[in-house]
Amino acid sequence: MNLDKYFVKSELIPAIIQEESTGEILMLAYMNKESMAKTLETGYTWFWSRSRQELWNKGATSGHLQKVVSIHGDCDDDTLLIKVIQTGPACHTGSKSCFFNKIK
């Protein structure tokens, strides 16, 4: 599969991670071409850490892995929706989802 079309606008693409069984949005992270390829190859999510400037496999150290069920690109090929089976919490704070700070 040629991944180039997803990286025309930028070297990074946002990836929205959604719990497959509930539809809950768990997190948003960024992928580069290498992390997207590793995700497709392994069946588990890999991302690019913008702060550490390195690849990271979600759950590799915590055990809170994300098994990929499906990946969809949006209509502009510049955002991904990745449905996963989440093991444990998705957020590094221990929360199920990273979206727990209600603003309104």
Side-chain angles (χ1 to χ4, degrees):
M1 168 185 274
N2 184 353
L3 303 180
D4 290 340
K5 73 177 187 172
Y6 298 103
F7 300 95
V8 172
K9 296 176 186 173
S10 176
E11 292 179 7
L12 297 177
I13 187 171
I16 301 163
I17 309 304
Q18 181 180 39
E19 176 68 57
E20 195 269 337
S21 64
T22 65
E24 182 176 14
I25 301 300
L26 300 175
M27 59 181 281
L28 177 128
Y30 291 87
M31 291 184 155
N32 63 8
K33 197 182 304 183
E34 184 180 4
S35 65
M36 189 172 174
K38 287 184 81 65
T39 296
L40 291 166
E41 176 187 325
T42 66
Y44 290 88
T45 55
W46 284 80
F47 303 108
W48 178 255
S49 171
R50 295 179 301 162
S51 59
R52 296 187 313 268
Q53 295 289 294
E54 65 183 15
L55 287 176
W56 59 283
N57 174 221
K58 177 66 177 164
T61 56
S62 68
H64 302 154
L65 297 168
Q66 295 174 336
K67 172 111 177 89
V68 175
V69 175
S70 66
I71 302 175
H72 291 85
D74 76 339
C75 57
D76 295 322
D77 293 326
D78 62 5
T79 303
L80 300 174
L81 174 62
I82 304 177
K83 294 185 181 184
V84 301
I85 298 170
Q86 176 71 45
T87 302
C91 186
H92 72 281
T93 66
S95 181
K96 170 92 174 140
S97 168
C98 293
F99 296 98
F100 56 85
N101 291 318
K102 186 173 182 176
I103 295 172
K104 180 177 177 180

